[in-house]
Amino acid sequence: MKNKINFGAIIVFYVIAVICRYAAVKTNLLSGIENPYLVILLRGAGPALGALAAIKIFSLHNPMSLKGIYKNAIIPFAVYWILPAVLIAGVYYVTIGKFPILLMFTVLVYGLLEEIGWRGFLQEQLKSLPKFTSIVIIAVLWFAWHLNLETTPNNMIFLGIIFFGTWGIGKVYSSTGSLLAVAGVHSLNNFFRDGLHERELILIAVLLAIWIGFIILYNRKYKTVANPA
């Protein structure tokens, strides 16, 4: 029997997420905050706040986990956070002489705040729907949450990225159950705000190859341990 979708909870989640986003990027509410890293985090806090509020208000059984299928949170933290942060910060150091490790982890935490909402809450709430329908709904809501709805070529490309990201990050979440894992994958797009050049594309390809291989190998090991012959 499929779980019923709690539309009330989804509405509460999304309204809070959008209000927080609007306050952060469309008003001067954050103009008095001097710490740029805090400003980044506040811009992405809406989905997490909305998800936690909806779960509390509607007393939902919506389990979320930082570690997912892994034995402890250290494993996904090392693979999906430490590895990309060090590699990408290293590339920055070689190219521009700076080692922005604090920025790297700020971007990762930002991704986590979003993923608590999009994957941890919304994907879980819509899991009874056909997969494609769920992806379309999440992608449209995620795209609209950014509050940039102009039909420019760049925005249409961004919508395509959001749609592909909803499918890809959703697959990672379904395979790992780990918010740390999906936050790392999510953050790939946010690491390179100045544009993608050959070295960035190579680094993204390397990280994705490592992550996909790790997920496949760990899932095989996990299934073997869970279902011994």
Side-chain angles (χ1 to χ4, degrees), residues 64-76:
M64 297 186 196
S65 172
L66 292 175
K67 67 183 184 69
I69 66 171
Y70 305 109
K71 290 182 179 179
N72 54 63
I74 295 174
I75 297 173

Side-chain angles (χ1 to χ4, degrees), residues 190-228:
N190 296 328
F191 279 132
F192 307 108
R193 282 304 186 184
D194 296 331
L196 294 175
H197 306 288
E198 183 178 355
R199 61 178 176 272
E200 283 84 9
L201 291 172
I202 292 173
L203 188 51
I204 288 174
V206 169
L207 282 169
L208 288 175
I210 292 172
W211 286 340
I212 291 170
F214 180 75
I215 289 172
I216 292 172
L217 292 174
Y218 197 96
N219 276 1
R220 286 179 180 173
K221 178 182 177 182
Y222 176 74
K223 288 178 181 178
T224 300
V225 172
N227 302 289

Side-chain angles (χ1 to χ4, degrees), residues 19-170:
I19 289 174
C20 291
R21 181 69 175 182
Y22 184 88
V25 303
K26 297 294 185 180
T27 72
N28 295 322
L29 187 64
L30 304 183
S31 59
I33 300 177
E34 296 182 0
N35 188 319
Y37 303 115
L38 179 58
V39 171
I40 291 172
L41 296 179
L42 290 174
R43 287 176 177 173
L49 295 175
L52 296 176
I55 291 171
K56 181 67 174 179
I57 292 170
F58 290 88
S59 300
L60 299 178
H61 177 65
N62 195 120
M64 297 186 196
S65 172
L66 292 175
K67 67 183 184 69
I69 66 171
Y70 305 109
K71 290 182 179 179
N72 54 63
I74 295 174
I75 297 173
F77 182 72
V79 174
Y80 298 98
W81 285 49
I82 297 294
L83 176 64
V86 171
L87 286 179
I88 294 170
V91 169
Y92 272 96
Y93 182 77
V94 170
T95 54
I96 63 176
K98 295 181 180 180
F99 193 66
I101 197 70
L102 182 57
L103 175 61
M104 297 298 101
F105 277 97
T106 301
V107 171
L108 284 160
V109 175
Y110 175 96
L112 177 62
L113 292 171
E114 278 204 45
E115 288 306 318
I116 288 172
W118 305 124
R119 250 54 62 181
F121 175 79
L122 189 56
Q123 181 170 308
E124 281 295 308
Q125 289 300 306
L126 299 178
K127 65 183 179 182
S128 63
L129 294 178
K131 186 66 68 177
F132 183 76
T133 303
S134 173
I135 290 172
V136 169
I137 293 172
I138 296 170
V140 170
L141 292 180
W142 189 12
F143 175 77
W145 173 80
H146 287 86
L147 302 179
N148 189 358
L149 304 178
E150 297 178 6
T151 56
T152 62
N154 284 343
N155 260 8
M156 294 303 97
I157 292 173
F158 182 59
L159 177 58
I161 293 172
I162 287 285
F163 185 86
F164 179 76
T166 301
W167 170 78
I169 300 173

Side-chain angles (χ1 to χ4, degrees), residues 176-192:
T176 68
S178 169
L179 289 171
L180 289 174
V182 291
V185 178
H186 176 133
S187 297
L188 273 185
N189 182 58
N190 296 328
F191 279 132
F192 307 108

